[in-house]
Amino acid sequence: MVFADTTRRETTIFAATINNNRITLAEMSISDQIRMASKNTLEKLYSLSIDESNIQINETKPEFEGDYTLVLFSFLKHLKKSPDQLGREIGDELVANNPNLLSGFNIIKGFLNLTVNDSYWIDFLQVNYADPGFGKKKSSGKKVMVEYSSPNTNKPLHLGHLRNNFLGLSIAEILRANGAGVTKTCIVNDRGIHICKSMLAWQKYANGATPQSTGIKGDHFVGDYYVRFENDLKIQAQPIIDRIKRNELSGFEGNELSDLKKWLTALQRETNKEKIEKLNDEIKEIARNHTAIMAEAKQMLRNWEAGDKEVVELWEKMNGWVYDGFAITYNRIGSDFDKIYYESNTYLLGKDIVKEGLDKGVFYKKEDGSVWIDLTADGLDEKLVMRRDGTSVYITQDIGLAEQKFNEYKPSESIYVVGDEQNYHFKVLKLIAEKIKIPGAEGIYHLSYGMVELPTGRMKSREGTVVDADDLIDEMVSIAGRHTEELGKVKDFNESELKELYDTIGLGALKFFLLRVDPKKRMIFNPEESIDFHGFTGPFVQYTHARIKSILRKENAVSSRFPTAIGTAVSSLLKLEKGLIVKLEQYTAIVEQAAIEHNPSVLAIYAFELAKTFNTFYTEHSVMNAESEEKKQLRLQLCEMTANVIASAMGLLGIKVPERM
RNA sequence: GGUCCGGUAGCUCAGCUGAAUAGAGCAGCUGCCUUCUAAGCAGCAGGUCAUUGGUUUGAAUCCAAUCCGGAUCACCA
């Protein structure tokens, strides 16, 4: 490619002037070309130098004639001309200098509406229609790490994990499509008090039961014992809470004792409902920590850390069950990882970091031996990085892991797909990493996403209001099956074909539903709405794809060589034909935008709009019975390219598209 | 209390690096299957873009204040 290593800006100038070179043109979006041409025109006519980011090119509103609109208002103050006169001068110059690109213009108020040559759109279609990789970039050599999913091994995955997994998978695909080499990773939280809870309950109640002996999926099996533990804990905590409330505080000492006294007196005076609830929660927390069963769990954790053979064996056995269960779910939703980190291996990381930070004077030691960093100058708080007993905390482990990731993979960007309740954590993580100059610190990016809530409110595992991932997927798939059966369009499918189709549709619906919303926003998961397969949904887009494929299949049966080049035989486009090409042309920019914003929802919205645009075209114009053979070929190309782009866009969301449905 | 995020149609969401009458989907109401898949298409109805002030030729979009909702500020992870 001649201009391959020129800058974007330089390429643009070539494209705007040498516009009979189609290959070069394909390198840049049409709106960017118009933007650059406008910039050049302003310079040439008025010696006015305006940064391209200040030149507004919008899609022309459907009620006006034209394809793209140059907004003139901002130039008016620099040039003392009427909008009409200015528009005419710019329009004439633009069209004269870019005869292949632009065919005409009109001016309404301060808007210069430009019409792109039909032959230009047709050329664009000719060049790209058969390319399944349209919109994607070649490898740039950039390396990115995406950490996502990161489950706990004490309970099965739920709806929140699904949003995380879908986001992680999608962002990995999106970055790959933009030329990055992507390593998908996951940090498994396989150690800690929560695991011990499940282990302890299993010891007490299972009588040697296993997932195999009970037929229960491993992660659910272990999760059931976690719930069992929590129930016992609740029962044991209640009398202690009652005792505290009666002001019987024997057995408490130190900070706990003084805190309890403080809260109890505060409770007597407090009238604010929320504050009362908060105080009660604090008391409950202390009571929970004073139960016999909690003491057992803590002892178990100590034993685990000491390497107690029996505990470690049990831990390995139960984690193994959970991994077996997760594997099934991951396989079903398409999650996979190039590298898995286990917290049991990384939780000691960070010790060196602490030493390094102390040496560099970034950290400081308090009298009790604990180590801190003062972030008040950055508008944050003081943050503990090492406990007084010398063990590292979450943030320190994470810095250690960040360093390890960089050492192993050297990514220029390291993305963490983690819920927005940890915004503060990642802000601190990046800041500390930068302060102690961990390599790759600047590349840390927290892809923060909002909580998934139910119409009834927040999901709480303690209250049993979580939506289980496996249940939800089963439900979606079975609804997809029922729906498909009712429509009766695939009666000739065999059993495995049907199963695959139901999975594709059910999972497609679920993924699309969770990805169509801006990640950073909290979202409400309404089960009734999520199983709707009409409108702005995955199945709608999938259906459009299947519809197109049906046309192509039928045409293929008649003629084996289609679509053929149409050359110059077709020189003008109907409105809906052009509208579809315009939409297709924007795909490249959308793929780029999704990566820049780390936001798959722009692709979901685009895929829906494209499908909608196609369906409108489809009902108005026949492909098979087009007005002429040339038109038919053009429309077949349109069909093929639309199918390709739909499949590609959905692929970037991690969603499959069926050939028939 | 500090910090951060959000408040757009009955509901769920786009639009937020300012620009032409604020867009979708769902729900409601009308039409359209003898022609390439009706999981579709066309249309009707539905809005003081939380409130108030400011900047601007122009504000849902930028700024300030206020109100409402959420997250977070652990020697938990």
Side-chain angles (χ1 to χ4, degrees), chain A residues 18-75:
Chain A
I18 312 175
N19 46 19
N20 55 357
N21 184 336
R22 282 173 201 163
I23 306 299
T24 308
L25 289 176
E27 295 288 300
M28 172 188 297
S29 76
I30 287 181
S31 70
D32 279 351
Q33 287 179 54
I34 294 175
R35 192 190 320 281
M36 288 314 298
S38 303
K39 179 185 159 75
N40 293 342
T41 299
L42 285 165
E43 260 164 26
K44 186 177 167 195
L45 289 182
Y46 314 112
S47 307
L48 186 62
S49 180
I50 290 188
D51 191 79
E52 62 204 77
S53 61
N54 291 325
I55 296 176
Q56 277 185 67
I57 306 292
N58 303 337
E59 253 184 282
T60 304
K61 300 228 168 194
E63 56 268 37
F64 302 105
E65 200 193 318
D67 300 320
Y68 285 93
T69 296
L70 173 66
V71 183
L72 301 171
F73 294 106
S74 55
F75 313 138

Side-chain angles (χ1 to χ4, degrees), chain A residues 144-301:
Chain A
V144 180
M145 253 185 136
V146 178
E147 178 196 300
Y148 74 105
S149 195
S150 303
N152 287 356
T153 58
N154 67 326
K155 52 178 187 281
L157 305 178
H158 59 67
L159 180 52
H161 292 115
L162 289 180
R163 190 178 197 191
N164 181 307
N165 276 272
F166 297 161
L167 270 174
L169 275 170
S170 178
I171 209 71
E173 289 306 314
I174 288 168
L175 293 169
R176 194 170 285 146
N178 279 275
V182 180
T183 305
K184 289 187 273 188
T185 178
C186 168
I187 168 91
V188 179
N189 188 357
D190 62 343
R191 55 136 244 137
I193 193 75
H194 50 290
I195 318 296
C196 293
K197 290 177 177 177
S198 294
M199 285 158 62
L200 193 64
W202 184 83
Q203 277 185 333
K204 282 182 188 293
Y205 300 115
N207 283 322
T210 65
Q212 292 75 27
S213 75
T214 56
I216 300 171
K217 192 163 165 280
D219 49 340
H220 290 263
F221 179 84
V222 173
D224 288 345
Y225 287 98
Y226 180 75
V227 171
R228 188 85 193 241
F229 178 96
E230 285 293 331
N231 284 340
D232 278 12
L233 180 58
K234 200 173 174 183
I235 291 166
Q236 290 192 13
Q238 196 52 50
I240 302 175
I241 294 172
D242 295 342
R243 196 158 61 81
I244 293 171
K245 288 286 183 64
R246 290 195 303 268
N247 227 330
E248 295 165 17
L249 299 179
S250 60
F252 297 102
E253 51 191 26
N255 282 344
E256 279 187 351
L257 182 63
S258 54
D259 281 348
L260 282 175
K261 283 180 178 168
K262 198 170 69 193
W263 295 331
L264 285 169
T265 45
L267 259 182
Q268 288 179 332
R269 280 190 303 247
E270 193 58 63
T271 51
N272 181 312
K273 234 181 176 178
E274 273 178 35
K275 286 187 180 164
I276 290 175
E277 197 182 323
K278 210 174 164 190
L279 285 166
N280 279 327
D281 280 349
E282 301 267 23
I283 291 170
K284 199 201 250 173
E285 201 52 44
I286 288 194
R288 286 162 59 89
N289 273 321
H290 278 260
T291 54
I293 196 166
M294 199 64 191
E296 280 185 85
K298 283 180 185 168
Q299 184 55 47
M300 189 176 245
L301 181 58

Side-chain angles (χ1 to χ4, degrees), chain A residues 145 185-188 339-342 401 404-405 408-409:
Chain A
M145 253 185 136
T185 178
C186 168
I187 168 91
V188 179
K339 167 76 184 181
I340 295 176
Y341 292 100
Y342 294 92
L401 181 59
Q404 187 168 334
K405 279 180 178 174
E408 289 177 27
Y409 295 94

Side-chain angles (χ1 to χ4, degrees), chain A residues 316-532:
Chain A
E316 279 171 352
K317 182 163 73 179
M318 290 188 73
N319 272 345
W321 293 338
V322 173
Y323 297 143
D324 290 345
F326 282 172
I328 293 168
T329 307
Y330 280 144
N331 185 42
R332 203 161 187 204
I333 64 179
S335 275
D336 58 350
F337 307 98
D338 304 304
K339 167 76 184 181
I340 295 176
Y341 292 100
Y342 294 92
E343 201 191 303
S344 52
N345 295 328
T346 65
Y347 82 108
L348 295 173
L349 282 175
K351 305 260 180 190
D352 297 342
I353 305 282
V354 171
K355 189 176 177 305
E356 209 179 316
L358 282 169
D359 290 345
K360 288 182 179 166
V362 179
F363 298 160
Y364 63 93
K365 203 172 237 178
K366 284 194 178 174
E367 283 173 9
D368 63 2
S370 59
V371 179
W372 297 72
I373 182 167
D374 185 358
L375 299 172
T376 49
D378 299 281
L380 304 173
D381 309 277
E382 287 187 357
K383 188 87 190 165
L384 178 91
V385 294
M386 190 178 83
R387 299 190 189 95
R388 62 167 170 259
D389 64 7
T391 55
S392 60
V393 292
Y394 182 40
I395 192 87
T396 326
Q397 294 168 32
D398 239 350
I399 294 166
L401 181 59
E403 188 176 42
Q404 187 168 334
K405 279 180 178 174
F406 188 84
N407 289 341
E408 289 177 27
Y409 295 94
K410 305 267 184 302
S412 58
E413 188 179 19
S414 183
I415 295 173
Y416 293 78
V417 183
V418 181
D420 64 4
E421 68 273 13
Q422 295 197 36
N423 283 354
Y424 181 75
H425 172 75
F426 281 98
K427 214 167 161 181
V428 171
L429 175 67
K430 181 162 183 169
L431 196 56
I432 297 180
E434 283 172 348
K435 280 184 190 289
I436 55 174
K437 299 193 168 57
I438 298 273
E442 309 74 35
I444 291 174
Y445 180 89
H446 177 204
L447 175 48
S448 162
Y449 63 91
M451 198 163 314
V452 184
E453 287 178 26
L454 299 174
T456 48
R458 191 177 167 179
M459 293 193 293
K460 288 179 180 160
S461 45
R462 279 189 197 173
E463 290 167 24
T465 54
V466 287
V467 176
D468 179 76
D470 293 317
D471 291 350
L472 182 59
I473 293 164
D474 286 345
E475 177 76 6
M476 296 296 285
V477 170
S478 86
I479 290 166
R482 238 177 293 148
H483 214 79
T484 306
E485 253 174 65
E486 276 170 26
L487 291 169
K489 291 177 181 177
V490 288
K491 287 184 173 150
D492 55 321
F493 273 30
N494 67 35
E495 208 166 300
S496 79
E497 285 171 328
L498 282 175
K499 189 184 172 306
E500 193 188 333
L501 179 62
Y502 298 165
D503 265 13
T504 298
I505 298 173
L507 270 165
L510 187 56
K511 288 187 179 185
F512 197 92
F513 189 82
L514 290 174
L515 289 174
R516 67 181 202 183
V517 182
D518 186 338
K520 70 171 182 287
K521 291 199 174 176
R522 268 185 304 144
M523 68 176 294
I524 306 224
F525 184 87
N526 185 334
E528 280 169 32
E529 207 180 309
S530 70
I531 56 173
D532 195 342

